[in-house]
Amino acid sequence: MRTAEIRRRWLDYFEQRGHAVVPSASLVSPDPSTLFTIAGMVPFIPYMLGQQTPPWNRATSVQKCVRTLDIEEVGKTTRHGTFFQMNGNFSFGDYFKAGAIEYAWELVTGPASEGFYGFDPDKVWVTVYHDDDEAATLWKRIAGLPDERIQRRGKKDNYWHTGQPGPAGPCSEIYIDRGPQFGADGGPVVDEDRFLEIWNLVFMQYAIEDVRSKEEFTIVGDLAQKNIDTGMGLERVAYLLQGVDNMYEIDEVFPVITAAQEMSGRRYGANHDDDVRMRVVADHVRSSLMLIGDGITPSNEGRGYVLRRLLRRSVRAMRLLGVDEPALPHLLPVSRDAMGASYPELVTDFDRIARAAYAEEEAFRRTLVSGTTILDTAVAQVKGSGGTVLPGDKAFTLHDTYGFPIDLTLEMAAEQGLAVDEQGFRDLMRTQRERARADAKAKKGGAASTTAYRELRDRGATEFTGYTELTTPSTVRGLLRDGVAVPAAVEGETVEVVLERTPFYAESGGQESDAGVITADGARLEVVDVQRPVKGLVVHTVRVVEGEVAAGADVLAQVDPEWRLGARQAHSGTHVVHAALREVLGPDALQSGSYNKPGYLRLDFSWNQALSPETRSEIEDVSNRAIRQDLGVQWQYMTLPEAKAWGAIALFGETYDEQVRVVEIGGPWSRELCGGTHVDHSSQIGLVALTGESSVGSGSRRVEALVGLEAFHHLARERALVATLSDALKARPEELPERVSSLVTRLREAEKELAGLRQARLLAAAGDIAASALDVSGVRVVTHDAGEVAGADDLRTLGLEVRGRFGEGPAAVAVGGVAKGRPVV
């Protein structure tokens, strides 16, 4: 049974049983403490924590996931990979243990001919939490499992919670007996290679506090609403149903190994080291395909750095397999074909994906050249000092700064007769990894301190009125100082304010938050920032500039109208520039990030080369023509599938609700999913002036522009500059380029002539300087202060000329001077 078919059967099974089919969220995690979506339940966490009300009572999904904590271990065993897919079914106050077990048993053991998976019921084992008698009884009643195939385990294996106060509960795991050739008998408590876990059913029924570790916490009571969260590893089920030994041999992965065999002429299964390399290639190529598909591009930080490592490790593995030609143009299309049945967007977006991947491979091939030069220099230094070991810090620098894999350093050093201080290298790597984990932990801790926000959110979502008004009467729901609720705030304090209703736009979607004031009886609060720390809750950071404000007070929230006008112009201008980019460069020039505030916008987009001045002018021209055409700006709500069918662009890395807001400018010309504030007609943008274009990483460019009055002021300054130059050079504006070019040419010629005269003057003194030499133990020694010189080159020329006057005899010449106020020797 092909993997795509297993996936389809899962979604069909649960959809037929009243579950809403929820599309996979992006691999870009919505949680700032993690880079990627690492589990199937991640998109549902707000519902499980009670932060949001789910739009359905039961749901199902097949979630794309990436885990890269131990990337160096990939391929060394057949169980570890970076990209995987997690089937999940979820119940929010609907069915509970009995329903979850009934669904699981039927889908796992029902006949394959009838749309189920068809596992042999006699090969199914389960585990339950050690005191969960209810689950054990249900397994016996529903599935007829004997006691010996229902094993009990402790909190380490069969209890789930988030690691912080909130929902928790026991879980039950389903295992398949693969047979005696895979290990000892006795169930999963004896051997989890023979008895392979395929599905985990989590029964969230308790509230916990005082969480000290995975196994140490305090149960404080039952949840008001009991939930079900399950996860089935799609790849594991696939290799069981396809009759292969591991995930690397399933139909969505093994074709890349086949291609690697064909390119290298080596056979999978013949040599352990080659097998590891082929598994690295298969895993990393697939993961890279999926990450780029979700809008991530190679870079030197964050998600982009992980992607860069995956791509470079796959290229390096192919090199170790003896393949020196570019490998990704052969391998990436194979992975696309294997994954396209489940993710058709990989096929339609492949040109964009391929450009980013191939450019990274080409950059790495150049890195290999430069890194080789650095390595050769380090090797020469070691040999010159009589050493036989390349220091660990040299290997670390090659790895960390130049992207040189350690195994490449080991191989190339060995070729030159040197060992490498691997322990020193690994110590430095460990230090770096621990520092990164500490940073991540600190970020996670900061992001996780949302208890006070959640308590305020439990009283309902903040109503946003800012689409239709700038002034809104409201009530203070709560005040926070350093994350702790306070009853009031007085003049001079900076606090966070949560209102029942607000016209203030919270920073999101690239748009800066609104500015303005909140006033109450005798109080005035300056709004300096607006955020959504918890979905549905708008939090205003304010400075109390006058009076005192208390929780429960009636207030008037007022957005600065000039600020909002500038923000609307900039955000609509961003959409216009994005549409212009796509019109000029083609549909692959997709936005990958943006930032806009009054008067300014920047937009990152996928593209592999710098824009020519002519192309920049054309983009600016298309943008301003759209503004002049006074295109209508409309927005409406619809479901995400409807929006995509309508042609709306969903931006990479964004997380969308079931209902999305689509903003269009000029109908289909610009149609994007967006929650920002916009002008009513494109003419209200005023003007767009591109001010810069640059690279922000491999396969990604950035344009910057000024908008509205700021754009006019920018052009006015340029006009004044042109007028000043015209007056100074006595030339009309259109004559300035030629006049300036002529002046530059004449200046260079004059500088060249001066340099020649200066050098001639210096050399003319060479004879006198040589004549002043002192004899020190048979060595002619000259020291000379040349005074003011143009640079070190002049001194070097003079020194060589003086040295030449002494013929073959021993001599030492030291010449010094001052160049641009700095001493030079």
Side-chain angles (χ1 to χ4, degrees), residues 196-328:
L196 189 71
E197 179 199 344
I198 63 166
W199 199 346
N200 186 18
L201 315 179
V202 178
F203 312 127
M204 284 185 285
Q205 60 188 106
Y206 300 118
I208 63 170
E209 292 182 355
D210 189 24
V211 181
R212 301 176 295 283
S213 68
K214 178 172 174 56
E215 301 179 58
E216 296 178 305
F217 49 83
T218 302
I219 297 176
V220 295
D222 292 339
L223 292 174
Q225 175 177 289
K226 296 178 180 179
N227 301 326
I228 289 291
D229 158 29
T230 88
M232 170 189 276
L234 178 56
E235 281 79 6
R236 287 193 176 187
V237 174
Y239 72 73
L240 290 174
L241 292 180
Q242 292 174 17
V244 296
D245 288 342
N246 56 72
M247 62 167 286
Y248 290 97
E249 297 176 14
I250 67 172
D251 62 311
E252 288 189 344
V253 181
F254 197 74
V256 176
I257 291 180
T258 300
Q261 291 181 95
E262 293 171 353
M263 292 184 69
S264 65
R266 305 187 188 186
R267 183 173 62 83
Y268 185 70
N271 176 276
H272 173 73
D273 289 342
D274 286 349
D275 290 352
V276 170
R277 291 160 186 155
M278 290 187 194
R279 287 195 289 265
V280 166
V281 170
D283 174 85
H284 289 6
V285 167
R286 184 168 80 139
S287 296
S288 299
L289 172 76
M290 302 305 296
L291 289 170
I292 301 173
D294 272 5
I296 300 167
T297 54
S299 68
N300 286 328
E301 58 184 24
R303 302 178 185 95
Y305 179 65
V306 174
L307 171 60
R308 171 161 286 168
R309 287 190 66 198
L310 292 170
L311 287 166
R312 293 188 171 194
R313 278 173 56 85
S314 60
V315 172
R316 167 63 183 148
M318 289 301 292
R319 187 180 188 278
L320 291 174
L321 289 169
V323 178
D324 291 327
E325 64 179 297
L328 291 180

Side-chain angles (χ1 to χ4, degrees), residues 51-52 450 453-454 457 531-539:
Q51 297 171 352
Q52 299 177 42
T450 59
Y453 298 132
R454 289 203 302 270
R457 176 62 179 82
Q531 298 291 332
R532 286 192 182 94
V534 172
K535 192 169 185 179
L537 188 74
V538 177
V539 177

Side-chain angles (χ1 to χ4, degrees), residues 448-489:
S449 301
T450 59
T451 302
Y453 298 132
R454 289 203 302 270
E455 290 174 353
L456 291 168
R457 176 62 179 82
D458 288 343
R459 293 161 57 183
T462 306
E463 180 187 349
F464 176 62
T465 62
Y467 288 141
T468 56
E469 62 186 32
L470 299 182
T471 301
T472 299
S474 191
T475 302
V476 177
R477 180 184 296 182
L479 295 163
L480 301 173
R481 185 188 299 113
D482 298 327
V484 178
V486 294

Side-chain angles (χ1 to χ4, degrees), residues 520-780:
D521 186 18
R524 181 180 179 85
L525 318 178
E526 179 187 357
V527 178
V528 296
D529 191 22
V530 190
Q531 298 291 332
R532 286 192 182 94
V534 172
K535 192 169 185 179
L537 188 74
V538 177
V539 177
H540 312 72
T541 300
V542 303
R543 278 194 296 265
V544 184
V545 295
E546 184 179 325
E548 178 180 349
V549 64
D554 292 330
V555 298
L556 187 67
Q558 305 169 78
V559 175
D560 181 339
E562 283 298 313
W563 178 278
R564 174 62 73 80
L565 173 60
R568 294 167 67 205
Q569 290 176 316
H571 204 149
S572 296
T574 303
H575 285 222
V576 165
V577 172
H578 186 204
L581 281 166
R582 289 166 55 78
E583 179 176 324
V584 174
L585 301 178
D588 290 336
L590 278 172
Q591 177 180 330
S592 57
S594 68
Y595 172 73
N596 53 80
K597 63 180 181 178
Y600 170 83
L601 70 86
R602 71 167 183 249
L603 187 149
D604 298 344
F605 61 101
S606 54
W607 202 250
N608 279 330
Q609 58 188 18
L611 304 182
S612 67
E614 294 76 18
T615 300
R616 288 176 54 181
S617 294
E618 186 178 0
I619 292 167
E620 191 175 61
D621 185 63
V622 169
S623 299
N624 285 296
R625 285 180 181 275
I627 292 171
R628 189 181 68 176
Q629 289 170 3
D630 194 30
L631 302 174
V633 180
Q634 288 88 30
W635 56 269
Q636 59 183 295
Y637 286 97
M638 61 186 69
T639 67
L640 184 58
E642 288 172 342
K644 290 183 176 180
W646 203 40
I649 298 173
L651 302 185
F652 296 120
E654 291 288 334
T655 301
Y656 297 103
D657 295 329
E658 284 295 298
Q659 286 285 315
V660 296
R661 182 172 181 258
V662 178
V663 175
E664 62 174 15
I665 301 177
W669 184 70
S670 172
R671 190 173 279 164
E672 298 187 17
L673 275 62
C674 180
T677 60
H678 290 272
V679 298
D680 298 318
H681 295 271
S682 64
S683 60
Q684 293 173 342
I685 297 171
L687 181 67
V688 168
L690 294 188
T691 58
E693 189 267 339
S694 60
S695 170
V696 287
S698 178
S700 187
R701 307 293 298 180
R702 170 177 292 173
V703 292
E704 296 179 88
L706 296 175
V707 184
L709 197 57
E710 283 73 9
F712 172 77
H713 289 159
H714 170 73
L715 296 178
R717 287 192 296 272
E718 289 196 339
R719 181 180 61 190
L721 177 61
V722 169
T724 300
L725 290 173
S726 294
D727 184 59
L729 299 177
K730 308 302 181 187
R732 293 192 299 271
E734 62 271 19
E735 297 172 340
L736 283 176
E738 182 179 350
R739 182 65 60 87
V740 170
S741 177
S742 174
L743 284 174
V744 169
T745 299
R746 289 164 56 189
L747 180 61
R748 286 174 178 167
E749 290 174 349
E751 287 177 342
K752 185 176 180 181
E753 184 177 349
L754 284 172
L757 292 172
R758 186 169 53 247
Q759 194 170 84
R761 179 179 62 81
L762 284 172
L763 295 179
D768 292 339
I769 295 171
S772 68
L774 300 176
D775 188 307
V776 181
S777 301
V779 177
R780 307 298 296 278

Side-chain angles (χ1 to χ4, degrees), residues 370-392:
S370 59
T372 298
T373 302
I374 302 297
L375 177 62
D376 288 345
T377 301
V379 167
Q381 290 173 346
V382 172
K383 286 185 173 182
S385 63
T388 59
V389 178
L390 186 73

Side-chain angles (χ1 to χ4, degrees), residues 390-399 421 424-425 428:
L390 186 73
D393 62 340
K394 296 289 187 183
F396 178 79
T397 299
L398 281 164
H399 175 276
D421 177 14
F425 168 80
L428 289 168

